[in-house]
Amino acid sequence: MADDPLESWSLVIGQYITQFALIEQAVYKALTLLPQDRLTKHACQLRDYHDRVRFLQALLRSAKWPETSQLIQLLESTFPLASIRNQLAHNPTYINVELSEEHLSSVERPSLYHSKTGHELANITPDEIIKHKAQVVVAYLKIHTILQKWSMKDA
């Protein structure tokens, strides 16, 4: 990681958001693979990720495609990851300067703060973001694999 603490945060936050965008793209792709009607086209315009996924899950429950139940569960597992993505994307990162007992030196510690309440989101650290990013990658790869099979079936 970089020497600048904010740069380190920026790097892991950017990577997480970029990786999660792949899952969002996969949701859109899944919606386009399903028979297109007015409702499905409308669902692609839903702004909220949770709403799009809930709509997709409802469509998948009535589909007779292979691995739909696995895809429904995978999509369900992305909700906590989406929440983390939203916290990272919509809340600022600040540097806390903490003075040591001797006041001879300061310790810089970046923290994420809730944009509305101003409270520190102490449970989100670069190490936690990296751990959750790995979960995002695994979820995406599994979703992508299922969608690839469906695309090849229709080709």
Side-chain angles (χ1 to χ4, degrees):
M1 287 214 183
D3 291 337
D4 177 7
L6 270 181
E7 188 176 331
S8 298
W9 271 83
S10 299
L11 182 63
V12 295
I13 288 171
Q15 289 172 342
Y16 188 95
I17 291 171
T18 302
Q19 291 295 324
F20 193 84
L22 293 173
I23 292 177
E24 292 184 280
Q25 180 185 26
V27 169
Y28 284 115
K29 180 176 181 171
L31 286 166
T32 64
L33 290 173
L34 294 168
Q36 291 293 301
D37 58 18
R38 289 177 60 182
L39 278 176
T40 308
K41 288 179 184 177
H42 173 70
C44 288
Q45 296 173 8
L46 291 171
R47 290 185 50 134
D48 184 68
Y49 175 78
H50 288 77
D51 292 342
R52 273 192 313 278
V53 170
R54 289 285 184 228
F55 184 83
L56 176 58
Q57 288 174 317
L59 292 174
L60 290 171
R61 283 185 187 90
S62 63
K64 302 293 184 228
W65 292 10
E67 302 178 81
T68 54
S69 61
Q70 181 185 0
L71 183 55
I72 290 168
Q73 291 173 344
L74 281 167
L75 292 168
E76 190 71 29
S77 74
T78 66
F79 287 148
L81 301 171
S83 177
I84 293 168
R85 179 250 174 244
N86 289 342
Q87 288 180 333
L88 294 174
H90 299 292
N91 294 296
T93 305
Y94 296 110
I95 291 280
N96 280 340
V97 177
E98 300 173 352
L99 296 177
S100 66
E101 288 183 20
E102 297 83 31
H103 301 288
L104 299 175
S105 64
S106 65
V107 178
E108 293 182 350
R109 182 180 58 84
S111 298
L112 203 63
Y113 288 85
H114 193 278
S115 60
K116 292 181 183 169
T117 66
H119 294 124
E120 182 178 3
L121 301 171
N123 61 325
I124 300 180
T125 65
D127 289 339
E128 283 296 309
I129 297 168
I130 290 168
K131 180 181 83 172
H132 292 301
K133 184 182 77 161
Q135 294 170 341
V136 167
V137 171
V138 169
Y140 168 72
L141 290 173
K142 289 178 179 181
I143 292 168
H144 179 73
T145 300
I146 292 170
L147 297 180
Q148 282 297 106
K149 290 177 188 176
W150 292 357
S151 295
M152 293 167 65
K153 180 184 87 153
D154 290 341

